[in-house]
Amino acid sequence: PVAYLVGEREFFSLKFRVTPDVLIPRPETEFVLVTLLERARSHGSQRNWRICDVGTGSGVLAVCAAKHLVSSQVVAIDKSPEALAVARENAIRHGVADRIRWVVSDLFAEVPSDLTFDFIISNPPYVSEAEYANLASTVRDFEPYQALVAGPQGTEVIERLIPQAAEKLMPGGYLVFEISPMICEKACELVKGEPRLELGPVVRDLARLPRVIQARRC
């Protein structure tokens, strides 16, 4: 169990430092990055993409986005200053810290109003309170509650993220976020209920379970 306190985990072939202040990177989250890269490269990966990673945690998505889209500028948001410190350390380690801006914020609350993005990516909290009670102790005892649990339903953070992201996306931009298969239907309904977004195909993981939702800004 001590290995969960402070250590390294691999994500997208890169090693990241993790502490009790951040989630341990999981393979499912790589599908967010794959979706981002596919969308970006279909329009020219060398463009100066503006990307925002909401709830960056250890920084795996922000760092990998900056690493693979070398002309991009990234804003990494987390409401935990401790998590941002870990993410910044990982960005320095992988040589991309100069292209990442760090913002302590609950979603977009503290993000400057004039900042808009081509892509908004996120692995938001999506565990319900009931689910949390049944999680393995290796998760509950070593990973931050606020990064896991959204509320009673599991969709509370996503409900706030969708309209805020729609406001911050450029026309034609994409919101890409991870979900639990159990909330897929509800999350899709929430996207459909936002008139500024058009729901795209749901991305499935290696187990063929719905894992990533993508939506285009109209």
Side-chain angles (χ1 to χ4, degrees):
V2 175
Y4 283 89
L5 297 179
V6 177
E8 290 185 342
R9 291 293 185 275
E10 187 170 293
F11 183 89
F12 224 70
S13 300
L14 298 177
K15 289 191 179 297
F16 288 84
R17 182 173 184 264
V18 295
T19 75
D21 295 309
V22 300
L23 292 181
I24 296 170
R26 291 175 170 81
E28 291 81 4
T29 305
E30 293 191 4
F31 286 90
V32 175
L33 185 63
V34 169
T35 304
L36 164 69
L37 295 179
E38 287 179 348
R39 287 291 181 187
R41 287 168 177 166
S42 70
H43 292 87
S45 60
Q46 299 305 310
R47 287 175 56 179
N48 184 22
W49 297 112
R50 290 169 293 179
I51 301 167
C52 184
D53 177 19
V54 181
T56 195
S58 63
V60 293
L61 291 175
V63 169
C64 288
K67 193 79 173 176
H68 289 273
L69 299 172
V70 297
S71 298
S72 63
Q73 296 293 322
V74 181
V75 173
I77 298 171
D78 205 292
K79 64 181 180 181
S80 165
E82 295 79 12
L84 281 182
V86 176
R88 186 181 292 109
E89 181 180 332
N90 283 320
I92 293 170
R93 177 180 194 173
H94 293 296
V96 296
D98 61 322
R99 289 191 287 112
I100 302 179
R101 178 175 178 178
W102 313 96
V103 181
V104 178
S105 181
D106 179 10
L107 301 183
F108 290 95
E110 304 302 325
V111 176
S113 59
D114 61 336
L115 278 184
T116 55
F117 304 97
D118 300 295
F119 294 99
I120 294 173
I121 56 178
S122 183
N123 177 17
Y126 55 68
V127 174
S128 70
E129 292 171 353
E131 289 176 294
Y132 181 77
N134 294 316
L135 287 179
S137 60
T138 51
V139 176
R140 284 188 289 106
D141 296 347
F142 297 104
E143 299 188 65
Y145 179 90
Q146 69 175 13
L148 289 166
V149 179
Q153 305 301 317
T155 55
E156 286 81 357
V157 174
I158 291 171
E159 288 176 14
R160 295 192 297 124
L161 172 64
I162 288 170
Q164 291 186 38
E167 183 69 25
K168 300 297 286 184
L169 279 171
M170 293 287 290
Y174 276 87
L175 168 63
V176 181
F177 63 96
E178 183 177 336
I179 58 164
S180 158
M182 290 176 285
I183 64 166
C184 180
E185 183 176 351
K186 176 61 176 176
C188 288
E189 290 175 0
L190 290 169
V191 172
K192 291 176 181 177
E194 170 51 64
R196 293 168 292 184
L197 294 177
E198 179 184 6
L199 181 65
V202 175
V203 178
R204 295 181 178 270
D205 61 23
L206 293 178
R208 305 305 301 158
L209 297 173
R211 184 59 63 183
V212 172
I213 286 180
Q214 53 183 327
R216 180 180 178 274
R217 177 68 160 85
C218 300

